[in-house]
Amino acid sequence: MTTTDAERRHKLIPLLGPAFVAAVAYVDPGNVAANITAGARYGYLLVWVLVASNVFAMVIQYLSAKLGLVTGQSLPTLLGARMHKPGRIAFWLQAEIVAAATDLAEVIGGALALHLLFGVPLLWGGIIVGVVSMALLLVQGGGRQRQFETIIVGLLIVITLGFLAGLFVAPPSPSGVLGGLLPRFQGTDSVLVAASMLGATVMPHAVYLHSSLVNDHEADELGPSTSDSRHSSGHLSRLLRATRIDIYWALSIAGLVNIGLLLLAAAALSGQSGTDTIEGAHAAISSTLGPIVGTVFAVGLLASGLASTSVGAYAGSEIMNGLLHIRVPIMVRRLVSLIPALIILGAGAEPTWALVVSQVALSFGIPFAIIPLMRLTASPEVMGNYANTRPLRLVGFLIAAVIVALNLFLVYLTLTGQG
């Protein structure tokens, strides 16, 4: 490595981190059962779906980060500035419903993990997850963005090890993995499973948040004065380059985790029943691969719930501030957003049913995040010389069309009872 290369790498490293926070949304508890179900039912058939979805995620998260860096504002802030008050309130309400649905899945996932590990009742598990997430959020803000990112990265490592450890006990078939890269289906039910995997790829709160994360990170690392020199020679280009690297590594890890879950199920759980729920998947893993692997899996699930619910609360705060210009203390917001999940857990609702309902709510919110993102990043008025090129516009709107269509398809099947 030359001195110049070393210097460039040294300058880029402090700029990395925001994508790892956003990437937590792609390995939250809501994705675990879907990927394991796909592998247990269809073996390696749907590997290609997760590969495609990860590529989609990289493009969308890059556009969100680019929007934030070029404009110096978040997606919610830019949308709020273009809407009248009734429109801003309506948009905020749907975004809040989506954020609450996301938090619901994440708190329930963490509570399930505590139940699997220690037999903790689900309600108390939800309370514990909420308290720990508050402690994590205390680190965020006040010039401590890097510390928050470090904690989230640490949890992401635990998630990765927890969910992929079983592959060392039951390695996948190389020929099966290669065969799974060929796009194909096996009956209408496999289409539905594929749609659920791909349609849930993009989490709206991660799209809103990434545009804010990059600017919070830059201010924390380099000082607020950098915002005045944002368009100085080479500075913005360097930020965008670092962002591409950040997203590549963060979402590659997230994609590896999701694909690994499918491969684990395909190698060890193929044909087994009862893996449609997280509890069932854990039981099947423990009985097939041993209690140690099952415990490690549950630890990964716990880390997933803690990390994703902390990031979700952070995102909700940024959405409210951008659209309504109201800055609610994040601890207060954490308490309020925790209430729906605790009510559902306390009422004794079936956790998997609650997860399904939350995914339907997410499906309704995705178009409201993706379509404005594509329009804003394609606009020279907003982005100047950094507006999306024609090929990128085409790719972006194609991805948006596929994801929106699949989510509408999922909502239709769920509401008509065909899913």
Side-chain angles (χ1 to χ4, degrees), residues 16 19-20 23 58 156 244-254:
L16 306 180
F20 285 86
M58 286 182 176
L156 187 58
R244 287 192 292 270
I245 296 171
D246 196 26
I247 289 171
Y248 173 79
W249 284 108
L251 291 186
S252 291
I253 292 172

Side-chain angles (χ1 to χ4, degrees), residues 160-178:
T160 303
L161 296 176
F163 288 158
L164 300 185
L167 290 175
F168 293 98
V169 180
S173 161
S175 60
V177 175
L178 289 176

Side-chain angles (χ1 to χ4, degrees), residues 179-401:
L181 296 175
L182 178 65
R184 66 195 192 281
F185 297 102
Q186 184 179 310
T188 55
D189 185 63
S190 69
V191 178
L192 175 61
V193 173
S196 68
M197 295 161 65
L198 182 58
T201 294
V202 178
M203 294 293 180
H205 71 287
V207 179
Y208 294 126
L209 180 61
H210 206 157
S211 57
S212 177
L213 281 171
V214 288
N215 289 314
D216 290 347
H217 178 94
E218 185 187 9
D220 184 42
E221 284 292 333
L222 306 175
S225 62
T226 56
S227 60
D228 299 329
S229 59
R230 180 179 302 276
H231 294 281
S232 63
S233 176
H235 181 60
L236 185 54
S237 295
R238 187 163 64 94
L239 290 174
L240 291 173
R241 180 189 170 206
T243 296
R244 287 192 292 270
I245 296 171
D246 196 26
I247 289 171
Y248 173 79
W249 284 108
L251 291 186
S252 291
I253 292 172
L256 180 65
V257 170
N258 285 318
I259 293 172
L261 284 168
L262 186 149
L263 297 182
L264 176 63
L269 309 179
S270 183
Q272 292 195 32
S273 60
T275 58
D276 291 346
T277 66
I278 292 178
E279 309 100 295
H282 173 263
I285 289 172
S286 297
S287 63
T288 304
L289 303 180
I292 294 178
V293 175
T295 299
V296 173
F297 173 85
V299 170
L301 179 64
L302 178 60
S304 171
L306 291 174
S308 53
T309 194
S310 301
V311 171
Y314 184 4
S317 176
E318 294 299 321
I319 291 169
M320 176 179 282
N321 181 51
L323 288 168
L324 301 185
H325 311 299
I326 297 174
R327 177 69 75 177
V328 175
I330 200 164
M331 290 298 105
V332 174
R333 180 177 179 86
R334 168 72 281 184
L335 280 171
V336 172
S337 63
L338 190 62
I339 292 173
L342 295 181
I343 290 175
I344 289 177
L345 290 172
E350 207 285 312
T352 300
W353 173 83
L355 289 173
V356 169
V357 172
S358 72
Q359 293 304 307
V360 174
L362 285 174
S363 297
F364 280 113
I366 286 175
F368 293 98
I370 296 179
I371 294 175
L373 174 67
M374 296 303 173
R375 294 190 63 178
L376 288 171
T377 54
S379 170
E381 179 184 350
V382 175
M383 303 292 288
N385 294 331
Y386 292 93
N388 295 343
T389 61
R390 182 171 296 178
L392 185 54
R393 287 200 300 270
L394 179 62
V395 170
F397 279 107
L398 179 62
I399 290 174

